[in-house]
Amino acid sequence: MKFFEGDILKKDLKMIEKEIVNSNMFPWYYLPNPVTYKYPCFTHVLLPRYNYESNESVEVNSPSYYFFERLFKNFCKKKKIKVNRILRAALNLQMYFKEEMGTPHSDHDFPHQVCMIYLNTVTRGSTYVFKEKTNVKKHKILKEIKNKAGKIVVFPGENYHAAGHCGKPNERRIICIFSFD
């Protein structure tokens, strides 16, 4: 099981902070149940989910996709991570919830990897990767990935994982996520 970690370039992070994190012009869309209805969020779909039945890719949904795809592919090239196909890509904005983390889940029901780029820093807001590859009553934390603006990570997606919630009511946790095989 491999985990990869690094940072994006400071100039890219500055652009993200200006155009997305600190902008009131970037379009966000309400998602009532990203995993469950208990923790809704806002999303900006860059690339919709891969069409598994026809084995065909889907069309890019946002012009922002190409910027984030470059960050993702540069990191994978640098770390020698093979990318066969991108299964989906999105930006997610989470608000504060009292609980430490959301619902453990896997993004797909087959082997894949997850790439996350943290677009801002918040209190708490880690990503928790669990030992289990199935849904169980109590998950055991394999790795806690601390939230930090500009951090980029890749981890095995078939391991259940959960988003850590912001630690303060006025915070927003913003990430970019790619799933791929």
PDB file of all heavy atoms in Angstrom, residues 78-91:
ATOM      1  N   LYS A  78       6.066  13.140 -11.606  1.00  0.00           N
ATOM      2  CA  LYS A  78       7.193  13.321 -10.687  1.00  0.00           C
ATOM      3  C   LYS A  78       7.356  12.126  -9.751  1.00  0.00           C
ATOM      4  O   LYS A  78       8.476  11.685  -9.454  1.00  0.00           O
ATOM      5  CB  LYS A  78       6.978  14.599  -9.866  1.00  0.00           C
ATOM      6  CG  LYS A  78       8.076  14.916  -8.891  1.00  0.00           C
ATOM      7  CD  LYS A  78       7.773  16.213  -8.166  1.00  0.00           C
ATOM      8  CE  LYS A  78       8.798  16.492  -7.099  1.00  0.00           C
ATOM      9  NZ  LYS A  78       8.488  17.702  -6.346  1.00  0.00           N
ATOM     10  N   LYS A  79       6.242  11.557  -9.294  1.00  0.00           N
ATOM     11  CA  LYS A  79       6.270  10.432  -8.354  1.00  0.00           C
ATOM     12  C   LYS A  79       6.227   9.072  -9.059  1.00  0.00           C
ATOM     13  O   LYS A  79       6.156   8.036  -8.406  1.00  0.00           O
ATOM     14  CB  LYS A  79       5.098  10.528  -7.361  1.00  0.00           C
ATOM     15  CG  LYS A  79       5.134  11.768  -6.482  1.00  0.00           C
ATOM     16  CD  LYS A  79       6.281  11.713  -5.503  1.00  0.00           C
ATOM     17  CE  LYS A  79       6.223  12.881  -4.548  1.00  0.00           C
ATOM     18  NZ  LYS A  79       7.277  12.846  -3.546  1.00  0.00           N
ATOM     19  N   LYS A  80       6.214   9.110 -10.413  1.00  0.00           N
ATOM     20  CA  LYS A  80       6.159   7.875 -11.218  1.00  0.00           C
ATOM     21  C   LYS A  80       4.912   7.040 -10.904  1.00  0.00           C
ATOM     22  O   LYS A  80       4.977   5.813 -10.751  1.00  0.00           O
ATOM     23  CB  LYS A  80       7.431   7.063 -11.042  1.00  0.00           C
ATOM     24  CG  LYS A  80       8.661   7.789 -11.544  1.00  0.00           C
ATOM     25  CD  LYS A  80       9.908   6.929 -11.403  1.00  0.00           C
ATOM     26  CE  LYS A  80      11.076   7.570 -12.085  1.00  0.00           C
ATOM     27  NZ  LYS A  80      11.888   8.456 -11.385  1.00  0.00           N
ATOM     28  N   ILE A  81       3.777   7.716 -10.825  1.00  0.00           N
ATOM     29  CA  ILE A  81       2.486   7.062 -10.592  1.00  0.00           C
ATOM     30  C   ILE A  81       1.807   6.898 -11.943  1.00  0.00           C
ATOM     31  O   ILE A  81       1.588   7.879 -12.657  1.00  0.00           O
ATOM     32  CB  ILE A  81       1.594   7.903  -9.654  1.00  0.00           C
ATOM     33  CG1 ILE A  81       2.289   8.111  -8.307  1.00  0.00           C
ATOM     34  CG2 ILE A  81       0.229   7.251  -9.488  1.00  0.00           C
ATOM     35  CD1 ILE A  81       1.613   9.150  -7.425  1.00  0.00           C
ATOM     36  N   LYS A  82       1.474   5.676 -12.291  1.00  0.00           N
ATOM     37  CA  LYS A  82       0.828   5.397 -13.578  1.00  0.00           C
ATOM     38  C   LYS A  82      -0.644   5.803 -13.522  1.00  0.00           C
ATOM     39  O   LYS A  82      -1.357   5.466 -12.577  1.00  0.00           O
ATOM     40  CB  LYS A  82       0.944   3.914 -13.912  1.00  0.00           C
ATOM     41  CG  LYS A  82       0.395   3.579 -15.275  1.00  0.00           C
ATOM     42  CD  LYS A  82       0.560   2.101 -15.597  1.00  0.00           C
ATOM     43  CE  LYS A  82       0.029   1.856 -16.992  1.00  0.00           C
ATOM     44  NZ  LYS A  82      -1.021   0.879 -17.033  1.00  0.00           N
ATOM     45  N   VAL A  83      -1.096   6.516 -14.554  1.00  0.00           N
ATOM     46  CA  VAL A  83      -2.498   6.908 -14.673  1.00  0.00           C
ATOM     47  C   VAL A  83      -3.040   6.280 -15.946  1.00  0.00           C
ATOM     48  O   VAL A  83      -2.621   6.634 -17.052  1.00  0.00           O
ATOM     49  CB  VAL A  83      -2.663   8.451 -14.725  1.00  0.00           C
ATOM     50  CG1 VAL A  83      -4.127   8.828 -14.903  1.00  0.00           C
ATOM     51  CG2 VAL A  83      -2.077   9.094 -13.477  1.00  0.00           C
ATOM     52  N   ASN A  84      -3.952   5.339 -15.800  1.00  0.00           N
ATOM     53  CA  ASN A  84      -4.585   4.693 -16.947  1.00  0.00           C
ATOM     54  C   ASN A  84      -5.738   5.558 -17.455  1.00  0.00           C
ATOM     55  O   ASN A  84      -5.788   5.909 -18.624  1.00  0.00           O
ATOM     56  CB  ASN A  84      -5.070   3.293 -16.548  1.00  0.00           C
ATOM     57  CG  ASN A  84      -5.758   2.570 -17.677  1.00  0.00           C
ATOM     58  OD1 ASN A  84      -5.351   2.666 -18.827  1.00  0.00           O
ATOM     59  ND2 ASN A  84      -6.813   1.835 -17.349  1.00  0.00           N
ATOM     60  N   ARG A  85      -6.649   5.894 -16.556  1.00  0.00           N
ATOM     61  CA  ARG A  85      -7.782   6.761 -16.915  1.00  0.00           C
ATOM     62  C   ARG A  85      -8.221   7.532 -15.681  1.00  0.00           C
ATOM     63  O   ARG A  85      -8.124   7.047 -14.552  1.00  0.00           O
ATOM     64  CB  ARG A  85      -8.941   5.960 -17.496  1.00  0.00           C
ATOM     65  CG  ARG A  85      -9.506   4.949 -16.529  1.00  0.00           C
ATOM     66  CD  ARG A  85     -10.564   4.043 -17.136  1.00  0.00           C
ATOM     67  NE  ARG A  85     -10.849   3.013 -16.140  1.00  0.00           N
ATOM     68  CZ  ARG A  85     -11.840   2.174 -16.189  1.00  0.00           C
ATOM     69  NH1 ARG A  85     -12.657   2.200 -17.212  1.00  0.00           N
ATOM     70  NH2 ARG A  85     -12.029   1.300 -15.236  1.00  0.00           N
ATOM     71  N   ILE A  86      -8.679   8.734 -15.907  1.00  0.00           N
ATOM     72  CA  ILE A  86      -9.243   9.555 -14.826  1.00  0.00           C
ATOM     73  C   ILE A  86     -10.718   9.197 -14.730  1.00  0.00           C
ATOM     74  O   ILE A  86     -11.445   9.270 -15.725  1.00  0.00           O
ATOM     75  CB  ILE A  86      -9.022  11.059 -15.098  1.00  0.00           C
ATOM     76  CG1 ILE A  86      -7.514  11.365 -15.096  1.00  0.00           C
ATOM     77  CG2 ILE A  86      -9.763  11.901 -14.064  1.00  0.00           C
ATOM     78  CD1 ILE A  86      -7.163  12.775 -15.515  1.00  0.00           C
ATOM     79  N   LEU A  87     -11.143   8.802 -13.547  1.00  0.00           N
ATOM     80  CA  LEU A  87     -12.511   8.328 -13.345  1.00  0.00           C
ATOM     81  C   LEU A  87     -13.475   9.454 -12.984  1.00  0.00           C
ATOM     82  O   LEU A  87     -14.656   9.384 -13.302  1.00  0.00           O
ATOM     83  CB  LEU A  87     -12.528   7.265 -12.240  1.00  0.00           C
ATOM     84  CG  LEU A  87     -11.613   6.061 -12.509  1.00  0.00           C
ATOM     85  CD1 LEU A  87     -11.480   5.208 -11.260  1.00  0.00           C
ATOM     86  CD2 LEU A  87     -12.134   5.250 -13.684  1.00  0.00           C
ATOM     87  N   ARG A  88     -12.981  10.465 -12.320  1.00  0.00           N
ATOM     88  CA  ARG A  88     -13.772  11.661 -12.005  1.00  0.00           C
ATOM     89  C   ARG A  88     -12.853  12.707 -11.412  1.00  0.00           C
ATOM     90  O   ARG A  88     -11.764  12.396 -10.920  1.00  0.00           O
ATOM     91  CB  ARG A  88     -14.924  11.374 -11.047  1.00  0.00           C
ATOM     92  CG  ARG A  88     -14.510  11.189  -9.607  1.00  0.00           C
ATOM     93  CD  ARG A  88     -15.723  11.003  -8.699  1.00  0.00           C
ATOM     94  NE  ARG A  88     -15.325  11.011  -7.308  1.00  0.00           N
ATOM     95  CZ  ARG A  88     -15.511  12.026  -6.473  1.00  0.00           C
ATOM     96  NH1 ARG A  88     -16.097  13.123  -6.890  1.00  0.00           N
ATOM     97  NH2 ARG A  88     -15.126  11.950  -5.216  1.00  0.00           N
ATOM     98  N   ALA A  89     -13.300  13.963 -11.424  1.00  0.00           N
ATOM     99  CA  ALA A  89     -12.546  15.057 -10.805  1.00  0.00           C
ATOM    100  C   ALA A  89     -13.544  16.127 -10.360  1.00  0.00           C
ATOM    101  O   ALA A  89     -14.501  16.433 -11.077  1.00  0.00           O
ATOM    102  CB  ALA A  89     -11.541  15.645 -11.793  1.00  0.00           C
ATOM    103  N   ALA A  90     -13.312  16.677  -9.163  1.00  0.00           N
ATOM    104  CA  ALA A  90     -14.218  17.698  -8.628  1.00  0.00           C
ATOM    105  C   ALA A  90     -13.506  18.534  -7.580  1.00  0.00           C
ATOM    106  O   ALA A  90     -12.502  18.124  -7.009  1.00  0.00           O
ATOM    107  CB  ALA A  90     -15.454  17.038  -8.009  1.00  0.00           C
ATOM    108  N   LEU A  91     -14.051  19.714  -7.349  1.00  0.00           N
ATOM    109  CA  LEU A  91     -13.664  20.533  -6.204  1.00  0.00           C
ATOM    110  C   LEU A  91     -14.800  20.390  -5.194  1.00  0.00           C
ATOM    111  O   LEU A  91     -15.973  20.418  -5.566  1.00  0.00           O
ATOM    112  CB  LEU A  91     -13.518  22.004  -6.600  1.00  0.00           C
ATOM    113  CG  LEU A  91     -12.528  22.324  -7.718  1.00  0.00           C
ATOM    114  CD1 LEU A  91     -12.518  23.816  -7.998  1.00  0.00           C
ATOM    115  CD2 LEU A  91     -11.150  21.831  -7.372  1.00  0.00           C
TER     116      LEU A  91
END
